Amino acid sequence: MNFDELQSAWNSDEGKDAVLPETLQRLKSAHMPVTKLRKNMRTEFIMLIVFFFLMGFFPLLSIRGVPPVPFYAMYTALIMLAVFHLTKFYRFYQRLYANTLSSKDNLYEVYYDIKLNIEMYKSFNYSIIPLIMLYLVMVILDLDHLAAAPVTPHKKMVIIISFVVTFIAMVVVVIALVEWWVGCFYGKYLRQVGKLLDELREA
Amino acid sequence: MATLNTRETAFLNLMEVHKGIIHKISKMYMDTPEDQQDLFQEVIYQLWRSYDSFNSQSKFSTWMYRVALNTAVVFFRKENKKISSIPELPEHIAVEEDPSVLKELQLAHFYKAVQKLDNIEKALIFYHLENYSHKEIAANLGISEGNTRVKLNRAKTKLKALIKQQGYEF
């Protein structure tokens, strides 16, 4: 192949078929990894807000074992955590990253942007675990009050052990689910940019 | 509002002059007309979004290449797209009499082959065809000059082999 010939053909390609948009106001970014990741997370956070709102009515169902005081203590802490993370996420969402850097610097910026988003997402999910633990502790402490008949020390020990085992199992399941979810739905963006950075490594 | 419109008009005028190059980048990075159009729009959006960062003392095309390629390199094609309209290569017709047909044929083979390169290799070929020196390419990609030379040579060899695989040589 003669590159001079190709160069001549390249120069003759004027892109006459290209059509510019009439206005720029309606243009939106839709195919950039950070945009896609933020869009997915935003949808998820909206669903979470709706879930938290509905969760507030849960004790009204008068289910035995859901005492309102520990529940609303946990609920308040959960809402505070959600507000903290959503505020951070919103600021992050509003931040514009420069794409006028060199390709390598730009890719690093995108890479760490995605990584930070993912870590923020994980930290929010994991921060719910201690709250659930606190809730279970409060329920255990209030066991005598909750039970219909007096609880024997032996029965109390069985209940406590069941709670601890359930809690440990739940932590393992939550961590596995979050890691799987992040790997499937957000990790692909990180892997794609990581692959591009590999392509730029010294030959 | 008037200022915004003036800015928008000025920007669109610049785009009118340079749209050909964005179109070429879109054709290098995407294989179907739908994806090419999506990338073209995304590049325009990213250029408009970054327009404030353009320093009028530097050359507009240099600034534009950087933003356009940075966008193309990380661009995600539409998921679950229909594999529909990948343009077929033109038949080997008697091109000797018409140089424009010959160029069209060469470009068709070039675009089909270049789409199979890695995203960074595409950027290297693009800068090379735009007559950028190794030093300038290195600065734009953020890698060393030596690395640029090695990677560009590899990309050119790969491209030649891909075009040959299509049963064409020029």
Side-chain angles (χ1 to χ4, degrees):
Chain A
M1 184 180 73
N2 183 346
F3 258 92
D4 290 336
E5 259 188 74
L6 177 60
Q7 182 91 58
S8 159
W10 173 263
N11 292 338
S12 69
D13 186 11
E14 291 167 354
K16 283 175 191 158
D17 312 334
V19 183
L20 285 172
E22 282 176 21
T23 172
L24 299 165
Q25 307 308 322
R26 283 190 204 150
L27 281 184
K28 275 184 182 166
S29 175
H31 300 275
M32 304 301 276
V34 175
T35 317
K36 279 176 158 267
L37 180 115
R38 286 174 178 173
K39 200 177 155 198
N40 288 356
M41 283 190 176
R42 190 178 57 177
T43 313
E44 225 176 283
F45 277 119
I46 290 170
M47 283 162 71
L48 258 180
I49 290 170
V50 173
F51 174 74
F52 284 158
F53 176 75
L54 295 174
M55 200 178 156
F57 298 100
F58 196 54
L60 301 180
L61 299 173
S62 305
I63 301 167
R64 176 172 267 180
V66 187
V69 176
F71 179 84
Y72 280 115
M74 182 203 70
Y75 186 70
T76 311
L78 193 66
I79 295 296
M80 282 164 70
L81 256 176
V83 168
F84 172 74
H85 277 92
L86 288 178
T87 313
K88 267 173 75 178
F89 183 77
Y90 181 73
R91 280 195 198 137
F92 201 70
Y93 193 82
Q94 297 295 90
R95 193 170 81 83
L96 294 175
Y97 69 95
N99 52 9
T100 51
L101 305 166
S102 73
S103 295
K104 194 178 184 178
D105 289 345
N106 182 66
L107 284 172
Y108 269 119
E109 185 153 318
V110 172
Y111 186 82
Y112 288 111
D113 230 7
I114 296 173
K115 214 168 167 60
L116 197 62
N117 258 296
I118 288 177
E119 291 308 318
M120 213 165 81
Y121 176 85
K122 278 188 193 174
S123 79
F124 173 63
N125 281 284
Y126 293 151
S127 61
I128 296 172
I129 294 172
L131 285 180
I132 296 171
M133 189 179 80
L134 221 72
Y135 174 70
L136 292 178
V137 169
M138 281 193 274
V139 171
I140 290 170
L141 291 175
D142 207 22
L143 214 53
D144 290 326
H145 177 76
L146 281 171
V151 183
T152 61
H154 174 71
K155 201 175 176 187
K156 199 169 185 176
M157 188 53 73
V158 171
I159 292 171
I160 289 171
I161 291 169
S162 312
F163 268 128
V164 170
V165 171
T166 311
F167 177 72
I168 292 170
M170 198 201 65
V171 169
V172 172
V173 170
V174 166
I175 291 174
L177 268 178
V178 169
E179 292 296 329
W180 173 78
W181 185 260
V182 165
C184 281
F185 294 92
Y186 304 119
K188 63 181 174 185
Y189 304 113
L190 201 63
R191 285 193 292 275
Q192 188 211 15
V193 181
K195 196 172 155 253
L196 290 167
L197 279 167
D198 284 343
E199 284 177 32
L200 279 170
R201 288 226 170 98
E202 288 294 316
Chain B
M1 194 70 186
T3 322
L4 180 75
N5 284 340
T6 315
R7 271 187 79 240
E8 193 175 325
T9 311
F11 176 79
L12 283 171
N13 286 340
L14 276 168
M15 286 299 100
E16 191 57 48
V17 177
H18 296 281
K19 69 177 184 185
I21 208 76
I22 303 172
H23 189 59
K24 285 197 232 184
I25 291 174
S26 305
K27 285 200 282 184
M28 278 181 81
Y29 278 85
M30 294 293 135
D31 50 7
T32 67
E34 295 88 354
D35 285 334
Q36 286 164 9
Q37 186 56 27
D38 284 345
L39 176 56
F40 183 83
Q41 298 268 345
E42 184 77 50
V43 170
I44 302 280
Y45 171 80
Q46 295 295 335
L47 285 166
W48 173 235
R49 191 178 71 78
S50 310
Y51 191 43
D52 284 339
S53 71
F54 169 59
N55 174 5
S56 53
Q57 285 173 338
S58 61
K59 211 173 155 194
F60 181 78
S61 59
T62 310
W63 173 83
M64 190 188 79
Y65 288 178
R66 221 174 231 216
V67 176
L69 281 174
N70 282 344
T71 305
V73 160
V74 293
F75 183 83
F76 256 92
R77 66 178 67 232
K78 237 182 227 157
E79 280 159 18
N80 305 321
K81 63 162 188 164
K82 285 181 205 158
I83 301 167
S84 56
S85 41
I86 298 172
E88 287 297 314
L89 288 176
E91 294 290 323
H92 285 268
I93 45 173
V95 292
E96 288 81 7
E97 305 100 56
D98 191 347
S100 68
V101 177
L102 174 67
K103 281 179 179 173
E104 204 182 300
L105 185 68
Q106 287 173 338
L107 280 174
H109 281 283
F110 163 72
Y111 282 122
K112 193 176 179 188
V114 84
Q115 281 157 7
K116 291 181 180 146
L117 296 181
D118 293 338
N119 283 3
I120 302 298
E121 289 173 334
K122 287 175 190 167
L124 284 155
I125 295 288
F126 171 81
Y127 280 125
H128 178 69
L129 288 172
E130 285 297 305
N131 292 318
Y132 271 54
S133 67
H134 288 130
K135 197 178 172 183
E136 287 169 321
I137 299 174
N140 277 309
L141 292 183
I143 56 176
S144 71
E145 218 179 311
N147 197 13
T148 303
R149 193 168 286 115
V150 172
K151 283 186 187 300
L152 180 60
N153 283 336
R154 276 187 198 161
K156 280 161 80 175
T157 311
K158 216 164 148 183
L159 185 64
K160 279 180 192 174
L162 284 165
I163 292 176
K164 213 173 172 182
Q165 270 176 27
Q166 293 169 17
Y168 189 80
E169 225 171 330
F170 60 91

